[in-house]
């Protein structure tokens, strides 16, 4: 009987430990339009999730704006403050787009330049299904999805519907009224 109880507690402990190891972090984005909660996929995009959560812990996203908004495509932020001053970043990370996650409505992916491994802090939330951004994409790499919106897709819709115009340094698709990420928090 004791052996059975011991084996049961050992199995339960391993299962709980395994569940904790693969639990997906959640990040709350308090924006000027409302709150968005992201669930990150640490199993399929470990480097990207670690990178993103470190930026959250560092306070990098506090006070940045969604600087590129295109309805029925995506909303992008993470790199510029309200005065369109670019925030400093750490080194770029390896592109993890070949992880099976898709650029579907509500998914969160890393923004990058035309260089496949150039993502650092900027990210975007897909406002529509954007399969052409999935691995291998149009350039052999695609854009690495690393999470999804689990609360606040109505806020993303509100952001996507905001009027945009031309503003330096981007030209077009910049919200006329800044949409600020007031605070990004790693949830317990």
């Amino acid at each position: 009987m004791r052996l059975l109880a011991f084996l049961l507690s050992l199995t339960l402990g391993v299962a709980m430990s395994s569940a904790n190891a693969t639990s997906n972090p959640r990040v709350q984005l308090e924006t000027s339009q409302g709150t968005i909660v992201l669930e990150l996929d640490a199993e399929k995009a470990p480097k990207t999730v670690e990178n993103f959560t470190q930026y959250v812990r560092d306070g990098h996203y506090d006070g940045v704006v969604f600087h590129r908004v295109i309805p029925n495509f995506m909303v992008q932020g993470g790199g510029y403050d309200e005065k369109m001053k670019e925030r400093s970043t750490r080194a770029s990370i390896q592109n993890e787009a070949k992880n099976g996650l898709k650029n579907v409505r509500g998914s969160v992916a890393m923004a990058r330049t035309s260089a496949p491994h150039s993502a650092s802090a900027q990210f975007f939330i897909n406002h529509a299904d954007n399969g052409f951004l999935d691995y291998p994409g149009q350039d052999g790499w695609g854009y690495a999805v690393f999470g999804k919106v689990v609360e606040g897709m109505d806020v993303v819709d509100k952001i996507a519907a905001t009027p945009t115009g031309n503003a330096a340094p981007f030209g077009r698709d910049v919200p006329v009224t800044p949409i600020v990420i007031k605070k990004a928090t790693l949830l317990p």
Side-chain angles (χ1 to χ4, degrees):
M1 192 59 99
R2 282 186 182 168
L3 179 60
L4 181 60
F6 171 76
L7 290 175
L8 183 60
S9 70
L10 183 63
T11 303
L12 184 58
V14 168
M16 287 176 69
S17 165
S18 173
N20 289 340
T22 60
S23 67
N24 293 324
R26 287 184 172 218
V27 172
Q28 179 175 283
L29 302 176
E30 232 178 277
T31 80
S32 54
Q33 296 293 313
T35 301
I36 302 167
V37 177
L38 310 175
E39 182 176 276
L40 311 181
D41 195 324
E43 182 182 333
K44 292 190 175 177
K47 293 174 186 171
T48 308
V49 168
E50 177 51 41
N51 177 67
F52 187 81
T53 56
Q54 187 59 55
Y55 277 114
V56 170
R57 286 190 289 275
D58 292 345
H60 175 88
Y61 296 121
D62 300 351
V64 299
V65 296
F66 283 99
H67 64 272
R68 186 171 176 231
V69 171
I70 305 172
N72 299 312
F73 179 38
M74 59 89 218
V75 300
Q76 180 177 335
Y80 297 85
D81 67 18
E82 283 185 74
K83 295 180 180 180
M84 294 302 165
K85 181 177 180 228
E86 190 170 10
R87 294 258 173 110
S88 324
T89 61
R90 295 187 306 276
S92 300
I93 60 171
Q94 181 179 345
N95 188 328
E96 291 183 304
K98 191 178 178 178
N99 63 18
L101 299 175
K102 304 295 182 192
N103 282 279
V104 295
R105 177 177 160 80
S107 62
V108 184
M110 291 305 292
R112 63 175 177 83
T113 67
S114 59
H117 305 292
S118 60
S120 58
Q122 291 187 41
F123 65 95
F124 61 92
I125 300 171
N126 285 288
H127 189 236
D129 292 348
N130 294 309
F132 69 97
L133 298 176
D134 294 340
Y135 176 85
Q138 299 167 328
D139 64 357
W141 284 96
Y143 290 76
V145 172
F146 65 99
K148 62 186 175 185
V149 173
V150 292
E151 292 175 34
M153 198 59 200
D154 59 324
V155 176
V156 176
D157 290 338
K158 196 186 307 184
I159 293 169
T162 194
T164 60
N166 297 332
F170 310 106
R172 60 182 193 204
D173 304 319
V174 179
V176 174
T177 302
I179 299 169
V180 183
I181 298 173
K182 297 176 183 179
K183 180 87 177 142
T185 309
L186 200 53
L187 297 175

